[in-house]
Amino acid sequence: MSHNTFGHLFRVTTWGESHGPAIGCVVDGCPPRIPLTEADIQPWLDKRRPGQSKYTTQRREPDAVKILSGVFTDADGEQVTTGTPISLMIENVDQRSKDYSAIAESYRPGHADFAYEAKYGIRDPRGGGRSSARETAMRVAAGAVARKVVPGLTVRGALVQVGPHAIDRARWDWDEVDNNDFFCPDAGTAAIWADYLDAVRKAGSSTGAVIEVVAEGLPSGLGAPIYAKLDQDVASALMSINAVKGVEIGAGFASAALSGEENADEMRMGNDGSVRFMSNNAGGILGGISTGQPVVARFAVKPTSSILTPRRTVTRAGTDAEISTKGRHDPCVGIRAVPVGEAMLAITIADHYLRHRAQVGA
Amino acid sequence: MSHNTFGHLFRVTTWGESHGPAIGCVVDGCPPRIPLTEADIQPWLDKRRPGQSKYTTQRREPDAVKILSGVFTDADGEQVTTGTPISLMIENVDQRSKDYSAIAESYRPGHADFAYEAKYGIRDPRGGGRSSARETAMRVAAGAVARKVVPGLTVRGALVQVGPHAIDRARWDWDEVDNNDFFCPDAGTAAIWADYLDAVRKAGSSTGAVIEVVAEGLPSGLGAPIYAKLDQDVASALMSINAVKGVEIGAGFASAALSGEENADEMRMGNDGSVRFMSNNAGGILGGISTGQPVVARFAVKPTSSILTPRRTVTRAGTDAEISTKGRHDPCVGIRAVPVGEAMLAITIADHYLRHRAQVGA
Amino acid sequence: MSHNTFGHLFRVTTWGESHGPAIGCVVDGCPPRIPLTEADIQPWLDKRRPGQSKYTTQRREPDAVKILSGVFTDADGEQVTTGTPISLMIENVDQRSKDYSAIAESYRPGHADFAYEAKYGIRDPRGGGRSSARETAMRVAAGAVARKVVPGLTVRGALVQVGPHAIDRARWDWDEVDNNDFFCPDAGTAAIWADYLDAVRKAGSSTGAVIEVVAEGLPSGLGAPIYAKLDQDVASALMSINAVKGVEIGAGFASAALSGEENADEMRMGNDGSVRFMSNNAGGILGGISTGQPVVARFAVKPTSSILTPRRTVTRAGTDAEISTKGRHDPCVGIRAVPVGEAMLAITIADHYLRHRAQVGA
Amino acid sequence: MSHNTFGHLFRVTTWGESHGPAIGCVVDGCPPRIPLTEADIQPWLDKRRPGQSKYTTQRREPDAVKILSGVFTDADGEQVTTGTPISLMIENVDQRSKDYSAIAESYRPGHADFAYEAKYGIRDPRGGGRSSARETAMRVAAGAVARKVVPGLTVRGALVQVGPHAIDRARWDWDEVDNNDFFCPDAGTAAIWADYLDAVRKAGSSTGAVIEVVAEGLPSGLGAPIYAKLDQDVASALMSINAVKGVEIGAGFASAALSGEENADEMRMGNDGSVRFMSNNAGGILGGISTGQPVVARFAVKPTSSILTPRRTVTRAGTDAEISTKGRHDPCVGIRAVPVGEAMLAITIADHYLRHRAQVGA
């Protein structure tokens, strides 16, 4: 995994800046003969698309994906993958004309501005350039391909905390997730968040969030000791998402306070001859290898630093300054991180599915 | 990063089973002309070595490391690295003769047994085989080399939570860390842990823990967008350690409840012309790239499942069974994870130091 | 190096089929602040472009390259690289409408048809799909970027054999290379080739060729033992070009017949205090590491199998058949391999330059 | 592929210097449940072992390999691989005490001395250190494992040219290969080589050679476009062997002089319903992918520069000097390159077998 490529065998390389002519990715290593059209990808992009409620950034992009390579119509008339690299591209449309001179000269606290400049000695300040969350659109597009690689795999996600307000897990209902603006699985909490985020938005402030993603239907045996553990790569995948500051698997940080008796998931034989786990503190992974239980991961997203309140900073020239964000403003970037987290989990599992098939066979 | 290799340019490949003749690693990509003898490595291994207090496993290993390649005595009579692969080996001494037939036939809940068997169709049950924490000795050995790669780098760690008992951060004193059996930076909390762990040990139970590791003295600019972020690779490194279920950077999961005003670390020019951050919620990393602030990471270790209470499980043959651990028993594996976490952080930073030097120069 | 990516730190990922909407590549890992515009790339593409003489395929493509990401205008008003991935794209224009049903059903002998079908169970037959030499346009584009990475580097190439006719090396004149249709450094031989290729073309046949590429100005020290040798990666780079069947460095296969006395390049101190080699049988590489002498490599290109004479083959359905090429026909694909070989050598050296800088410093 | 690791999924990392305490390798990614004992590896090492005739170096090493990890005795009492890293080690025994001060101060022409020093600023001069052909013992050991990975695979090799004397291919007899000191498949030529090499040896000189390696029984479909071509990786594998200056596949450089009619291997359906190729100029590979025909590769080894005649060179201190080799002397290093070439071909094919299985399934 190097620079702008994620994955070892199912490899996703993304490119593009927020305000360049386009963004794109190359998906390499995808198995052949998988049905794939733009219609398989577009719905996931639509789910992530900004500007769909007042709680996310108002940038308006159709985010229409094009497949530029790697597919062909087979003898049955179906468009399928050919095993060659799949190039996906989205043209940038709404690069709103704007004066970037302020942020070109001052580093926004909490943004990547200072670090990019320290590393490269140059950065594209328009919309955050490469560090913009716009890049995550291509993760979602690649994730749509990944979802088709592992037979039987389902990957879902939900927002489980906004600011200090966590959901009531006892009321978790997957069907609720698409019924509100927050991918919230608990209708009651969704209402609380709506009020909370209205206040945050009006104050020109922002808040953090926690997202949970769950993969079901994957086989046991995915992952490998010692440095290709499935949970290790899930952590890498999720921590690579913009603004993420923490990742946990299964019981996660809470496991620190558990006893050995409480934590270990006991097993019994099921009536169908398969092994049943009596709990899932492991989050579906033991020794870095999937057990067949659902893989459960959570990640924390910090509040965006693009807020209306002026903050103290410094300039490229080395003087003290103040800066505040103008224009489009996103009170909770964690909302749109849900489909992105799903995509990264799907990509990681697809990659490990191919890796497992290499070493152990189908 | 594949299978048993960690790192991209500073590459560590480990091998060996708990009860095989030896364990070892190959460190490849280390810069030349770095002074290196076994005396540089042994003290870190001694710090990790089991059997040093009643709170860790009583397996007694001298863990004497040998350098088998990659060094030579230079013109000044000093043994230095040559740029070729450094092979390190520790012979296993205390593979206590024991009857492994029970765990060969039944899967210990919470252990890797079931998953290894599901993946490979075979496993070495003696002492956990490859999944044993014994492998982490080689991480510590490689970490000792990594510490010498980045000029000015210091990496330290501490235990910050045992079971439900977290330290009082206001009393953090790095000098305390070596004064107790727990790498605890707060003498008061160390005493609480001593009592708590005595009770856990006597009950034949176990408990989880949280470790914090801190790197200071690294330059800004380490890490790279989008899939080679420094925090992403720190998460990968720490999550690869046995029994780890969560990783966070800087404010971590707590950042979900912060506002944008609280979270973003403001900046001012220092008197020496360098940029000063007024807080470190970012944990030293913005946009995946180091800012020059200390890199701060925490990780949660679950309680070991090796407990004396019988637990429900299944056998390889597909029948229900019960299993409990006999013999050596480790009430809090998190203690010994401190030097391992330090080593993984050092390795990750050394790797990124070389990567940065590649793209941007010294 | 995996699938469609070449290089370890200077990484080139290409995508696209001959008759798809576009072809492209992503160059990742390029150092920042290198001046780069489309005008730096286009001339190399123009050199490779088909249809420039009667000796190459008559497909007519403007091959106009677009830079879609990874550059920005710096404070001095110059467009430079930013250190983020550089996406390059060429739209396909001359995908001549043609009936591909014959080659969709029968495997052309000597082409990749049979092998792609055996591997993937599907292939895009239009113009050879992914196996078309059209992909090499992106190698040339990426090579243009690579040329700018290593200070002082010059990479040149020439055709040194066409069919049975080799050049007279005593008359090698680099200035001649651009004076004929063959990149031939010897005007006398160019005339012989012109006659020879006229006959080949009229006969509807084809012929092989040998290309020599030379890199000058690279520093000593590039390459690394044991499996990252510079000559190893040059061999990999050149053998990856379509239709290449052999690669040699320096004296190459001829060294098998030399004595130790003849082969070893003796050394003397130059007046300027640098080491002078008295010959270059090594081709600039010893022990896999550059010595500072010019790196010299040659590669053999087989004759294309697209000929007008019917050849015996089999069909997908498993019956015997005959097939011959219709339409555009390229009597010597080796000619256009010259700029491609240059590009691959430049990319390999740029990659090793960054790798060297990582391990040893600037 | 980086530094001292070869292979992508079947990964071999070697370590060790000629005169260090030991040499070794780690084979990572090997499938589980493959029977493997030291007795599977030792015969291949014995074949390569020096000192078996007067035509190879007289260093006498038992080269006894030890398996240190990655195997376990299964339920049937057979020792098999477990899927975890296989560590192999050979202790160095015959590091003859010798004065290395001359070659520590002067660079031997044609050796890696100058290049290593230029790169690293330090080198281990004892026996050539890391650049010694001693490293190839571990390639042979790893190759023995690789041979067991691909069902039905046979890899054989032969010496086909010594100095100016090539074999008569019409008299090729694989059974002859083990009947002479040269791995020569043609008894008549073996006698010529014996005389020739006697003269070379007595003159204190050396000569080059060409080796041919052939893999049979591999499936079609191995290899992948565009930068993971099987022939590309074979070229990389063979060029990584010490002293190799050229590699060719199938008709190789001779294909440059062929016509399209002569070169393309025609096909017919066999009586058994499989495709038969009527020739094998392709060397079993089309478009970078195996066709199922035998994979045929040749590589040229230069004469060793360790000769008794003094040669002009320079010293580390920057003065002109002369140097000649004393002691053990190897008139044709190409002989022992035969088992090494076989091993590298086997490793490359095993790696691609796993890669293919990943993308396309078993």
Side-chain angles (χ1 to χ4, degrees):
Chain A
M1 295 168 205
S2 166
H3 297 305
N4 294 278
T5 298
F6 187 84
H8 201 74
L9 295 183
F10 186 88
R11 298 166 69 81
V12 178
T13 301
T14 71
W15 56 267
E17 276 81 34
S18 174
H19 283 50
I23 58 173
C25 73
V26 183
V27 178
D28 200 6
C30 185
R33 300 193 309 278
I34 295 177
L36 184 70
T37 69
E38 286 148 3
D40 291 310
I41 305 172
Q42 195 62 50
W44 303 105
L45 286 165
D46 293 346
K47 184 175 172 185
R48 175 202 162 277
R49 201 171 57 209
Q52 301 192 96
S53 83
K54 61 185 171 182
Y55 305 108
T56 61
T57 179
Q58 294 306 300
R59 175 168 177 159
R60 297 200 176 272
E61 290 279 2
D63 279 355
V65 68
K66 286 182 202 163
I67 302 178
L68 296 179
S69 68
V71 294
F72 192 65
T73 304
D74 69 12
D76 299 330
E78 187 169 36
Q79 181 169 295
V80 299
T81 60
T82 59
T84 61
I86 302 165
S87 174
L88 304 176
M89 188 170 76
I90 294 173
E91 290 181 56
N92 287 328
V93 173
D94 185 20
Q95 315 104 299
R96 200 170 290 193
S97 155
K98 187 173 162 182
D99 179 3
Y100 284 101
S101 57
I103 63 172
E105 289 312 312
S106 294
Y107 305 119
R108 291 168 298 166
H111 275 90
D113 302 345
F114 174 79
Y116 269 63
E117 189 94 26
K119 183 174 191 75
Y120 297 119
I122 187 171
R123 73 194 147 94
D124 178 348
R126 300 167 304 158
R130 182 70 181 146
S131 71
S132 165
R134 180 130 190 80
E135 186 268 347
T136 62
M138 298 322 302
R139 302 178 184 230
V140 171
V145 182
R147 288 171 188 270
K148 307 196 78 173
V149 168
V150 186
L153 178 68
T154 305
V155 177
R156 299 186 286 188
L159 202 63
V160 297
Q161 183 182 331
V162 170
H165 304 288
I167 60 161
D168 179 350
R169 300 187 73 88
R171 292 191 301 192
W172 188 298
D173 177 0
W174 280 112
D175 291 335
E176 273 302 317
V177 165
D178 293 326
N179 288 344
N180 55 70
D181 290 330
F182 313 105
F183 305 113
C184 181
D186 158 15
T189 301
I192 295 169
W193 291 350
D195 290 344
Y196 179 72
L197 287 173
D198 272 335
V200 167
R201 188 170 54 83
K202 285 171 187 160
S205 185
S206 64
T207 189
V210 177
I211 294 95
E212 181 165 322
V213 285
V214 180
E216 291 163 288
L218 75 169
S220 64
L222 307 195
I226 298 288
Y227 301 112
K229 287 177 168 162
L230 180 57
D231 38 0
Q232 168 186 11
D233 286 347
V234 169
S236 172
L238 297 178
M239 195 68 96
S240 79
I241 300 172
N242 310 44
V244 173
K245 300 305 285 182
V247 178
E248 59 183 12
I249 309 287
F253 275 88
S255 65
L258 297 179
S259 69
E261 289 80 3
E262 292 164 330
N263 180 71
D265 303 312
E266 294 182 289
M267 289 172 268
R268 288 281 109 173
M269 293 306 299
N271 292 333
D272 62 353
S274 70
V275 173
R276 300 293 162 110
F277 289 87
M278 302 170 75
S279 54
N280 191 12
N281 287 312
I285 303 174
L286 286 171
I289 297 171
S290 67
T291 60
Q293 281 204 292
V295 169
V296 180
R298 275 176 302 284
F299 59 101
V301 174
K302 68 178 183 184
T304 179
S305 313
S306 298
I307 50 179
L308 304 193
T309 310
R311 307 301 292 162
R312 288 172 290 181
T313 189
V314 300
T315 64
R316 291 181 72 191
T319 59
D320 288 348
E322 293 208 333
I323 193 164
S324 64
T325 297
K326 292 176 183 60
R328 296 189 291 224
H329 161 252
D330 203 341
C332 183
V333 291
I335 300 172
R336 287 169 57 216
V338 174
V340 180
E342 292 175 10
M344 293 310 293
L345 184 57
I347 291 168
T348 306
I349 290 171
D351 188 36
H352 274 282
Y353 178 75
L354 300 186
R355 291 201 223 180
H356 179 69
R357 196 154 76 167
Q359 193 180 10
V360 183
Chain B
M1 295 168 204
S2 164
H3 297 304
N4 294 277
T5 297
F6 187 84
H8 201 75
L9 295 182
F10 186 89
R11 297 166 70 81
V12 179
T13 302
T14 71
W15 55 266
E17 275 80 34
S18 174
H19 283 51
I23 57 174
C25 72
V26 183
V27 178
D28 200 5
C30 185
R33 300 193 310 277
I34 294 177
L36 184 71
T37 69
E38 286 149 2
D40 290 311
I41 304 171
Q42 195 62 51
W44 302 104
L45 286 165
D46 293 346
K47 184 175 174 186
R48 175 201 162 278
R49 200 171 56 209
Q52 301 192 98
S53 83
K54 60 186 172 183
Y55 305 109
T56 61
T57 179
Q58 295 306 301
R59 175 167 175 158
R60 296 200 177 273
E61 289 279 0
D63 278 355
V65 70
K66 287 183 201 161
I67 302 178
L68 296 178
S69 69
V71 295
F72 192 65
T73 305
D74 69 10
D76 299 331
E78 188 169 36
Q79 180 169 296
V80 299
T81 59
T82 60
T84 62
I86 301 166
S87 174
L88 305 175
M89 188 170 75
I90 294 173
E91 290 182 54
N92 286 328
V93 173
D94 186 20
Q95 315 103 299
R96 201 170 290 192
S97 154
K98 188 173 161 183
D99 179 2
Y100 283 101
S101 56
I103 62 172
E105 290 312 313
S106 294
Y107 306 120
R108 293 168 296 166
H111 276 90
D113 302 346
F114 173 79
Y116 269 62
E117 190 93 26
K119 182 176 192 74
Y120 297 118
I122 187 171
R123 73 194 148 96
D124 179 348
R126 300 167 304 157
R130 182 69 182 147
S131 72
S132 165
R134 180 130 190 78
E135 185 267 349
T136 62
M138 298 322 302
R139 301 179 185 229
V140 172
V145 182
R147 287 171 189 272
K148 307 196 78 173
V149 167
V150 186
L153 177 69
T154 305
V155 176
R156 297 185 287 189
L159 203 63
V160 298
Q161 183 182 332
V162 170
H165 304 289
I167 60 162
D168 179 350
R169 299 186 73 88
R171 292 189 304 190
W172 189 296
D173 178 359
W174 279 112
D175 291 336
E176 273 302 316
V177 165
D178 293 326
N179 288 344
N180 56 69
D181 290 330
F182 313 105
F183 305 114
C184 180
D186 159 13
T189 302
I192 295 168
W193 291 350
D195 290 344
Y196 179 73
L197 286 174
D198 272 334
V200 167
R201 187 172 54 83
K202 284 172 187 159
S205 185
S206 64
T207 189
V210 177
I211 294 95
E212 180 165 322
V213 286
V214 179
E216 292 164 287
L218 74 168
S220 64
L222 307 194
I226 297 288
Y227 302 112
K229 288 177 167 162
L230 180 57
D231 39 359
Q232 168 185 12
D233 285 347
V234 169
S236 171
L238 297 177
M239 195 68 96
S240 78
I241 300 172
N242 310 45
V244 172
K245 300 305 285 183
V247 178
E248 59 182 11
I249 308 288
F253 275 88
S255 65
L258 297 179
S259 69
E261 289 79 3
E262 292 164 330
N263 180 70
D265 304 310
E266 294 181 289
M267 289 173 266
R268 285 285 137 202
M269 293 306 299
N271 292 330
D272 62 353
S274 70
V275 172
R276 301 294 162 110
F277 290 87
M278 302 170 76
S279 53
N280 191 13
N281 287 313
I285 303 174
L286 286 170
I289 297 172
S290 69
T291 61
Q293 281 205 291
V295 169
V296 180
R298 275 175 304 283
F299 59 101
V301 174
K302 69 179 183 184
T304 179
S305 314
S306 298
I307 51 178
L308 304 193
T309 309
R311 307 302 292 162
R312 287 172 290 181
T313 188
V314 300
T315 64
R316 291 181 73 193
T319 60
D320 287 348
E322 291 209 335
I323 194 164
S324 65
T325 298
K326 293 176 182 60
R328 295 188 293 222
H329 161 252
D330 204 341
C332 183
V333 292
I335 300 172
R336 288 168 56 215
V338 174
V340 180
E342 293 175 9
M344 292 311 293
L345 183 57
I347 290 168
T348 306
I349 290 171
D351 188 38
H352 274 282
Y353 178 75
L354 300 187
R355 292 201 221 179
H356 178 69
R357 197 155 75 168
Q359 194 180 10
V360 182
Chain C
M1 296 168 206
S2 165
H3 297 302
N4 294 277
T5 297
F6 187 84
H8 202 74
L9 294 182
F10 186 89
R11 298 166 69 81
V12 178
T13 301
T14 70
W15 55 267
E17 276 79 35
S18 175
H19 284 49
I23 57 174
C25 72
V26 183
V27 178
D28 200 6
C30 184
R33 301 192 309 279
I34 294 178
L36 184 72
T37 68
E38 286 149 3
D40 291 310
I41 304 172
Q42 195 61 52
W44 303 105
L45 285 165
D46 292 346
K47 184 175 171 184
R48 176 201 160 278
R49 199 172 56 209
Q52 302 191 95
S53 82
K54 60 185 171 182
Y55 305 108
T56 61
T57 178
Q58 295 307 301
R59 176 169 175 157
R60 297 199 177 273
E61 289 279 1
D63 279 354
V65 69
K66 287 182 201 161
I67 303 178
L68 296 179
S69 68
V71 295
F72 192 65
T73 304
D74 70 11
D76 299 330
E78 187 169 36
Q79 181 169 297
V80 299
T81 59
T82 60
T84 61
I86 302 165
S87 174
L88 305 176
M89 188 170 77
I90 294 172
E91 291 182 54
N92 287 327
V93 172
D94 186 19
Q95 314 105 297
R96 201 170 289 192
S97 156
K98 187 172 163 182
D99 179 3
Y100 283 100
S101 57
I103 63 172
E105 290 313 312
S106 294
Y107 305 119
R108 290 168 298 166
H111 276 89
D113 302 346
F114 174 78
Y116 269 63
E117 189 94 25
K119 183 175 190 75
Y120 297 118
I122 187 172
R123 73 193 148 96
D124 178 347
R126 300 167 305 157
R130 183 68 182 146
S131 72
S132 165
R134 180 130 190 79
E135 185 267 349
T136 62
M138 299 321 302
R139 301 179 185 230
V140 171
V145 182
R147 288 171 188 271
K148 307 196 78 172
V149 167
V150 186
L153 177 69
T154 305
V155 176
R156 298 186 286 189
L159 202 62
V160 297
Q161 183 183 329
V162 170
H165 304 289
I167 61 162
D168 178 350
R169 300 186 72 87
R171 293 190 302 192
W172 188 298
D173 178 359
W174 279 112
D175 291 336
E176 274 301 318
V177 165
D178 293 327
N179 288 343
N180 55 70
D181 290 330
F182 313 106
F183 304 114
C184 180
D186 159 14
T189 302
I192 295 169
W193 292 350
D195 290 344
Y196 179 73
L197 286 173
D198 272 334
V200 167
R201 188 171 54 83
K202 284 171 187 159
S205 184
S206 65
T207 189
V210 177
I211 293 95
E212 180 164 321
V213 286
V214 180
E216 291 164 288
L218 75 169
S220 63
L222 306 194
I226 298 290
Y227 302 111
K229 287 176 168 163
L230 181 57
D231 38 0
Q232 169 185 12
D233 285 347
V234 168
S236 172
L238 298 178
M239 195 68 95
S240 78
I241 300 171
N242 310 46
V244 173
K245 300 305 286 183
V247 178
E248 59 181 12
I249 309 288
F253 275 89
S255 64
L258 296 179
S259 70
E261 289 80 2
E262 292 164 331
N263 180 70
D265 303 312
E266 294 181 291
M267 290 173 266
R268 289 281 105 169
M269 293 306 300
N271 292 332
D272 62 353
S274 71
V275 173
R276 300 293 162 113
F277 289 87
M278 302 170 74
S279 53
N280 191 13
N281 286 313
I285 303 174
L286 286 170
I289 297 172
S290 69
T291 61
Q293 281 205 291
V295 169
V296 180
R298 274 175 303 283
F299 59 100
V301 174
K302 68 179 184 185
T304 179
S305 313
S306 298
I307 50 179
L308 303 192
T309 309
R311 308 301 292 161
R312 287 172 291 181
T313 189
V314 299
T315 65
R316 291 182 71 193
T319 60
D320 287 347
E322 291 209 335
I323 194 164
S324 64
T325 298
K326 293 177 182 60
R328 295 190 292 223
H329 161 252
D330 203 340
C332 183
V333 291
I335 300 172
R336 288 168 55 216
V338 174
V340 180
E342 293 175 9
M344 292 310 293
L345 184 57
I347 291 169
T348 306
I349 290 171
D351 188 37
H352 274 281
Y353 178 75
L354 300 187
R355 291 201 222 179
H356 179 70
R357 195 154 77 168
Q359 193 180 11
V360 182
Chain D
M1 297 168 205
S2 164
H3 297 303
N4 295 276
T5 297
F6 187 84
H8 202 73
L9 294 183
F10 186 88
R11 297 166 69 81
V12 178
T13 302
T14 71
W15 55 267
E17 276 79 34
S18 174
H19 284 49
I23 57 174
C25 73
V26 183
V27 178
D28 201 6
C30 185
R33 300 192 311 276
I34 294 177
L36 184 71
T37 69
E38 287 148 4
D40 291 311
I41 304 172
Q42 195 62 50
W44 302 104
L45 286 165
D46 293 346
K47 184 175 173 185
R48 176 202 161 276
R49 199 172 57 208
Q52 302 193 94
S53 83
K54 60 185 171 182
Y55 305 108
T56 61
T57 178
Q58 294 306 302
R59 175 169 176 157
R60 296 199 177 274
E61 290 279 0
D63 279 355
V65 69
K66 286 182 201 162
I67 302 178
L68 296 178
S69 69
V71 295
F72 192 64
T73 304
D74 69 11
D76 299 330
E78 188 168 36
Q79 180 169 298
V80 299
T81 59
T82 60
T84 62
I86 301 166
S87 174
L88 304 175
M89 188 170 75
I90 294 173
E91 290 183 53
N92 287 328
V93 173
D94 186 20
Q95 316 103 299
R96 201 169 289 192
S97 155
K98 186 172 162 182
D99 179 3
Y100 284 101
S101 56
I103 61 170
E105 290 312 312
S106 294
Y107 305 119
R108 291 168 298 166
H111 275 90
D113 302 346
F114 174 79
Y116 269 62
E117 190 92 28
K119 182 175 191 76
Y120 296 119
I122 187 170
R123 72 193 149 97
D124 178 348
R126 301 167 305 157
R130 182 68 182 148
S131 72
S132 165
R134 181 132 190 77
E135 186 267 347
T136 61
M138 299 321 303
R139 301 178 185 230
V140 171
V145 182
R147 288 171 189 270
K148 308 196 78 173
V149 168
V150 186
L153 177 69
T154 305
V155 177
R156 298 186 286 189
L159 204 62
V160 297
Q161 183 182 331
V162 170
H165 304 289
I167 61 162
D168 178 350
R169 300 186 73 89
R171 292 190 302 191
W172 189 296
D173 177 0
W174 279 111
D175 290 336
E176 273 302 316
V177 164
D178 293 327
N179 288 344
N180 57 68
D181 290 331
F182 313 106
F183 304 114
C184 180
D186 159 13
T189 302
I192 294 169
W193 291 351
D195 289 344
Y196 179 73
L197 286 173
D198 271 334
V200 167
R201 188 172 53 83
K202 284 171 188 158
S205 185
S206 65
T207 189
V210 177
I211 293 94
E212 181 164 321
V213 286
V214 179
E216 292 164 287
L218 75 168
S220 63
L222 306 195
I226 297 288
Y227 302 112
K229 287 176 168 162
L230 181 57
D231 39 359
Q232 168 186 13
D233 285 347
V234 169
S236 172
L238 298 177
M239 195 67 96
S240 79
I241 300 172
N242 310 46
V244 173
K245 301 304 287 183
V247 178
E248 59 182 11
I249 309 288
F253 274 89
S255 64
L258 296 179
S259 70
E261 288 80 3
E262 293 163 330
N263 180 71
D265 304 311
E266 294 181 291
M267 290 173 268
R268 289 281 106 170
M269 292 306 299
N271 292 331
D272 63 353
S274 70
V275 172
R276 301 292 162 112
F277 289 87
M278 302 171 76
S279 53
N280 191 11
N281 286 313
I285 303 173
L286 285 171
I289 297 172
S290 68
T291 61
Q293 280 205 293
V295 169
V296 180
R298 275 175 302 284
F299 58 102
V301 175
K302 70 179 182 183
T304 178
S305 314
S306 298
I307 50 178
L308 304 193
T309 310
R311 308 301 292 160
R312 286 172 291 180
T313 188
V314 300
T315 66
R316 290 182 73 193
T319 60
D320 287 348
E322 293 208 334
I323 194 164
S324 64
T325 298
K326 292 176 182 60
R328 295 190 292 223
H329 160 252
D330 203 341
C332 183
V333 292
I335 300 172
R336 287 168 56 214
V338 174
V340 180
E342 293 174 9
M344 293 310 294
L345 183 57
I347 292 168
T348 306
I349 290 171
D351 188 36
H352 274 282
Y353 178 75
L354 300 187
R355 290 201 223 179
H356 178 69
R357 196 154 75 167
Q359 194 181 9
V360 182

